[in-house]
Amino acid sequence: MPLPAPELGLVISYAYLWSSEAAEGQEEGLKDRPCALLLSAQDHGGDTVVAVVPVTHSPPQRLEEAVEIPAAVKHRLGLDEARSWIVVSEINRFVWPGPDLRPVSSAEPERFAYGFLPPGLFRQVIDRFKATVAARRLRTVRRTE
């Protein structure tokens, strides 16, 4: 199965590097996790640069900086049943596909995506992300190849 196209709203498996981990000097994420593709653009060299936001089980410290994923969406994506949030206060930015894309499971080593967020949920994520950017609370971790 080929790599998925970097489409907005796609939920991928990715070795996300939290900004707090990067601040401590880490270069690799400690855990592979679902992440939603939030932004995609071509740079001057023709590479596709994307930004992803992480999914976590940890409740957000600021409710306005996360969007809870409804149980039905989690089920459709094949995620676990525990409550989860999409954190919009930080992103990982990298050239697609980058070295940190991971298989969804060892049983499916060629599959890197869970599926897409529904349009209404994706709109909520974008709206909260824009508000976070406007409030100057966004943290960006630029990943290397």
Side-chain angles (χ1 to χ4, degrees):
M1 181 181 296
L3 287 173
E7 297 180 54
L8 301 184
L10 181 67
V11 179
I12 61 171
S13 180
Y14 183 74
Y16 190 85
L17 181 63
W18 292 96
S19 60
S20 59
E21 295 170 343
E24 294 171 355
Q26 292 183 42
E27 294 183 6
E28 297 293 326
L30 299 178
K31 179 180 174 183
D32 300 341
R33 68 179 59 249
C35 293
L37 203 141
L38 191 65
L39 304 169
S40 178
Q42 296 288 318
D43 68 9
H44 294 296
D47 291 325
T48 300
V49 179
V50 301
V52 296
V53 287
V55 173
T56 182
H57 290 115
S58 300
Q61 293 180 356
R62 292 180 169 201
L63 292 177
E64 69 275 11
E65 292 183 358
V67 175
E68 187 168 4
I69 304 174
V73 173
K74 288 195 71 179
H75 179 74
R76 187 178 54 75
L77 292 172
L79 302 177
D80 63 28
E81 295 180 7
R83 289 178 75 184
S84 294
W85 290 264
I86 300 169
V87 177
V88 299
S89 57
E90 65 172 76
I91 59 172
N92 275 193
R93 183 177 176 271
F94 59 96
V95 174
W96 183 265
D100 298 302
L101 198 60
R102 301 289 193 256
V104 167
S105 73
S106 58
E108 298 179 89
E110 301 288 322
R111 185 172 158 231
F112 299 92
Y114 296 94
F116 286 90
L117 296 176
L121 181 61
F122 185 68
R123 173 57 42 211
Q124 287 179 27
V125 171
I126 289 292
D127 290 347
R128 292 223 179 141
F129 175 75
K130 287 179 179 178
T132 300
V133 170
R136 299 180 183 241
R137 290 195 308 264
L138 180 66
R139 295 177 304 278
T140 301
V141 176
R142 287 179 173 77
R143 303 296 298 275
T144 57
E145 293 185 47

